[in-house]
Amino acid sequence: MTYFQPASPVLSKPPVDVEGADARPRRAAPALRSPTLILGVVVLVFWVFCAILGTHVVPFDPYADNVLSTFTPPDSEHWFGTDQLGRDVFSRVIVGSRDILTVAPLATVLGVGLGAVLGLLLGYVGGWFDATVSRILDALMALPLVVLALMTLVAVGASNLGVILVIGFVYAPIVARTVRTAVYAQRELDYVSAARLSGAGPIVVMFREILPNVRQPILIEAIVRLGYAFFTVATLSFLGLGIQPPSADWGLAIADGYVFLSGGLWWVVTFNGLAIISLVVATNLIAEGLGAFETR
Amino acid sequence: MRKSPAIDLLRRLSGDLWNVAVDEHVEGHLSRRDLIRYASLIGLTGFAASQNFGIIGQARAQGKPGGTIRVGVDSPSGAIDPVTITSPPAITVLSQVGEYLVFDDADKGLVPSLALSWEANDKGDVWTFKLRPGVKFHDGRVMSAKDVVASFDRLVDPNGPSSALSAYKGLLSKGAIKAVDDMTVSFTLDAPNGNFPFYVSSDVVNCIIIPADFSGNYEASFMGTGPFKLDTFQAKKGVSFVRNDEYWGEKALPDRIEITFFDDYQAILLAMQAGQMDIMPYTPRLAPAFDHNPSLKILTIPSSAYDEVHMRVDQTPFKDKRVRRAMALTIDRDAVTKGLLKGRATPANDHPFAPIFPSAVEMPQRKQDIAEAKRLLAEAGVPNGFEVTLTTEQAYSLPDYAVLMQNFAKLAGIDIKLNVEPQDSYYGEAVYGKSDWLDSVMGLTDYGHRGTPDIFLNATLRSTGTWNAAHFNNPTYDGLVAQYAASRDLKSQREAATKIQELLMDETPLIIAYFSKFCLVTAAKVQGVRFTAISHVLLDRATVA
């Protein structure tokens, strides 16, 4: 098959699609055999289940206080103990997955979406546009992510929407740089030239020809960003700039509980910390599993 | 009226003002403790001293003199300067070197410090203070009236950096402080005020007496008249002081005081637990972390500090006072004081008259009453409740209290959304229109201890008040506060206070659910530490057992 065959419309059959159509069934099997991927997916699915149905399965109302009986250590009634307001920590950890699993994926979708579009433009247009915008993005990326997010959230105020927007906009340049590099590798290939010669406009070439061929780095980047987003959401909540009380959010719970650690009251921080770790590690396992399988 | 030789003796001590207070005492309306505190206020310092309520510095040493006392505090915000300080760690630092005309002692009320005695004219608008002779600054110069005049002129200068301007607004103006002679100072007030000695006391933390020629760089010398003097100071790290052997009173027991600045409260606590610090500040939020640690002890004094929930009376849904009262009735004050504040607080009645004020009048305690709250809401036309945002600051126990309020309000159908902000965002520029504290429809703010309720009554509730977050505008209230401030005798003060308390409970522009006690954490082996509810920590009688 050549890209110049009139019978094989370039726009509908780019090279990856041709290979991918046959390869996809063959790739599914090794993916399912990847223990890291499977473990990551299991943990992630568990937390998604908790986020959706957690309030129906927890033993106690996660928001009900019992202020006259606070900091009960873990026991048979309160498996993870109670917090500074007497709330059941186990119920709050289960339900606490909801906010982070709403905010972080939405922020990632925003960041990856914006970054992909920007990266496509930079890589495809190139020249002075690429040089100028890339330097601006470099300057933005030189600022520490959390500092940038903090400054923005202090200015616009703390809210879930604010956190989604801030993380999305902060991640967009990082994704854009990755996508730009991938587009650079594609834009001189024959199928792109063929598309141009066949009269396709730049938008069509970018989004219908090049984009499907850079989906692999975008997918990996999205999952890696998701892991970072979980961590960033937790960090911002910890700093008091993210999700608001009385949410059972894990970062918020650690911020509330860490001051009691030195008094031997370890359970609030430990169980919420383990929850964050499990989610971030699960996401990274998925990224690693997918990456290994995609590069095979 | 009961007659006894002791009471007759009391009556002969002073004139009408004093005798009204004695009458109140005889009739059982005024405790002996409050009577003695009142004696100090009107300048009967000799009587107060005779009741063992005399000058500060009388605590008996229980350990070996000498040694070093180590204190851990947060890093002070800004330069440490008596004219500008507001932060508790800076107050703790300055209480080693600086002194006031009068000291407001947690137990004894007003006690003479750099002033020996004071008195007012009949109208209560001119107060005269006799200074203590033989007091020297750390550089050896003798303190005189001109130093006192200069110190107060700096504080009331509207063009200067003084942090005390809000305290003196409408009370004391530049030029109104005069040296009558070398050892006498008079204050001519803008309006009569029966509580004025509190305004030249440690209650206004800025009014430390410093030399008349103070240049503005206080951290270079930490010049004062106190029992300790500067050894070394390192910005952001800490400061150390050594005993001032020229001190006018009993010489300090410790050889040295070391105060270390920490960026993180947790780090101070760890240092305490490791035995590297002897004293640290307390916050109720951290109580569970050290409540059961036998190597530490928590010292407690009553205070007038409270956390205030304001409700904008000029905005929906709080335009109707029945809605505001309903909100106040949802709160379980016992649960908050016993649970959240670990018993280190007393329930309050939505007005700022703390039990420590002699003028406070006891009234039936407002309690949680969900049925009555629902009835009031229905009467006000919101039988199904409403939604409102409560804005507060990320500080102390405020976010936890906000969560409790949210749960309490839910019982009456009120849906409170929380907006917890960093302190800088919450206070903004601290002026109307540019501050969530002053502009939010409902807010939760902490207020520190004051020796009199005057600043609370004026700044937070008067129509012209600069901290009137509730935007309360009630001419009757304004008139009652003016009447209260002008009252010279305790009976008149209490009459005005009764009306103010009743009015505030009826209108409920604020929810003041409790008055916090002020606490300090020390190592169990440390004795003789005294402190105020505004973060003064007096270490001249401290010893390590």
Side-chain angles (χ1 to χ4, degrees), chain B residues 456-500:
Chain B
F456 300 139
L457 296 173
N458 283 299
T460 68
L461 284 161
R462 218 166 175 177
S463 55
T464 53
T466 46
W467 305 338
N468 186 354
H471 294 236
F472 189 53
N473 187 347
N474 186 310
T476 309
Y477 172 83
D478 287 356
L480 285 171
V481 171
Q483 185 188 328
Y484 172 84
S487 304
R488 285 295 319 279
D489 66 83
L490 199 54
K491 190 176 180 185
S492 309
Q493 279 188 357
R494 289 185 146 205
E495 280 170 3
T498 305
K499 290 176 188 163
I500 292 172

Side-chain angles (χ1 to χ4, degrees), chain A residues 99-117:
Chain A
D99 277 320
I100 199 168
L101 276 168
T102 308
V103 173
L106 286 176
T108 307
V109 167
L110 179 66
V112 171
L114 285 175
V117 172

Side-chain angles (χ1 to χ4, degrees), chain B residues 29-256:
Chain B
H29 302 314
L30 189 68
S31 68
R32 178 178 173 276
R33 180 193 183 85
D34 284 342
L35 181 72
I36 295 166
R37 290 171 72 96
Y38 184 68
S40 297
L41 173 64
I42 61 171
L44 284 176
T45 53
F47 171 67
S50 71
Q51 305 298 308
N52 196 24
F53 272 57
I55 61 167
I56 58 173
Q58 291 183 327
R60 288 284 151 244
Q62 295 178 32
K64 205 170 79 174
T68 299
I69 305 287
R70 302 158 303 172
V71 184
V73 293
D74 307 327
S75 284
S77 54
I80 303 176
D81 179 332
V83 179
T84 58
I85 55 158
T86 53
S87 71
I91 297 166
T92 300
V93 169
L94 286 188
S95 40
Q96 312 313 314
V97 291
E99 292 183 305
Y100 303 86
L101 290 183
V102 182
F103 191 82
D104 185 8
D105 190 275
D107 285 334
K108 306 164 185 172
L110 295 180
V111 284
S113 182
L114 297 182
L116 267 183
S117 63
W118 50 89
E119 61 181 4
N121 64 355
D122 286 344
K123 197 176 163 194
D125 64 350
V126 179
W127 285 81
T128 306
F129 289 76
K130 289 274 183 196
L131 302 183
R132 183 181 298 278
V135 175
K136 288 180 181 174
F137 289 108
H138 296 151
D139 60 2
R141 290 185 290 171
V142 174
M143 182 204 72
S144 71
K146 73 176 185 339
D147 299 307
V148 176
V149 172
S151 294
F152 280 95
D153 268 346
R154 272 185 218 107
L155 295 180
V156 297
D157 182 357
N159 301 315
S162 166
S163 296
L165 285 173
S166 60
Y168 292 124
K169 187 184 174 190
L171 181 69
L172 191 61
S173 304
K174 194 169 165 67
I177 308 112
K178 297 260 190 300
V180 178
D181 58 45
D182 267 2
M183 299 309 288
T184 310
V185 180
S186 73
F187 297 79
T188 304
L189 309 188
D190 298 342
N193 192 300
N195 285 327
F196 183 69
F198 283 102
Y199 286 86
V200 297
S201 78
S202 50
D203 278 332
V204 180
V205 295
N206 305 93
C207 65
I208 288 173
I209 305 304
I210 50 180
D213 59 359
F214 169 60
S215 69
N217 181 14
Y218 193 76
E219 289 175 346
S221 65
F222 282 84
M223 187 63 65
T225 59
F228 297 97
K229 59 185 182 181
L230 180 66
D231 181 26
T232 58
F233 170 72
Q234 284 183 287
K236 305 286 178 195
K237 289 192 172 176
V239 58
S240 61
F241 301 106
V242 292
R243 184 191 298 117
N244 172 17
D245 290 323
E246 301 298 315
Y247 185 55
W248 57 266
E250 280 188 83
K251 306 297 178 276
L253 295 175
D255 294 331
R256 186 178 169 83

Side-chain angles (χ1 to χ4, degrees), chain A residues 61 63-71 84-85 87 153-155 157-158 239-241 244-246 252 255-265, chain B residues 264-266 269-270 273 284-290 334-336 338-340 342 394 399-401 403-404 406-408 410 418-422 425:
Chain A
D61 177 352
Y63 304 105
D65 63 77
N66 181 5
V67 78
L68 295 176
S69 174
T70 60
F71 282 120
Q84 77 277 7
L85 294 178
R87 299 171 296 194
L153 279 174
V154 166
L239 294 172
L241 284 166
Q244 292 283 303
L252 202 58
D256 282 343
Y258 92 100
V259 290
F260 305 109
L261 272 179
S262 47
L265 311 171
Chain B
D264 181 22
Y265 203 89
Q266 184 78 357
L269 181 55
L270 289 171
Q273 288 174 332
R285 189 131 211 289
L286 284 184
F290 39 57
D334 272 346
V336 175
K338 287 177 187 158
L340 184 66
K342 308 300 171 203
Q394 188 74 47
D400 287 340
Y401 179 35
V403 171
L404 291 182
Q406 187 180 44
N407 287 346
F408 293 145
K410 211 181 285 175
L418 300 184
N419 177 26
V420 182
E421 301 182 328
S425 303

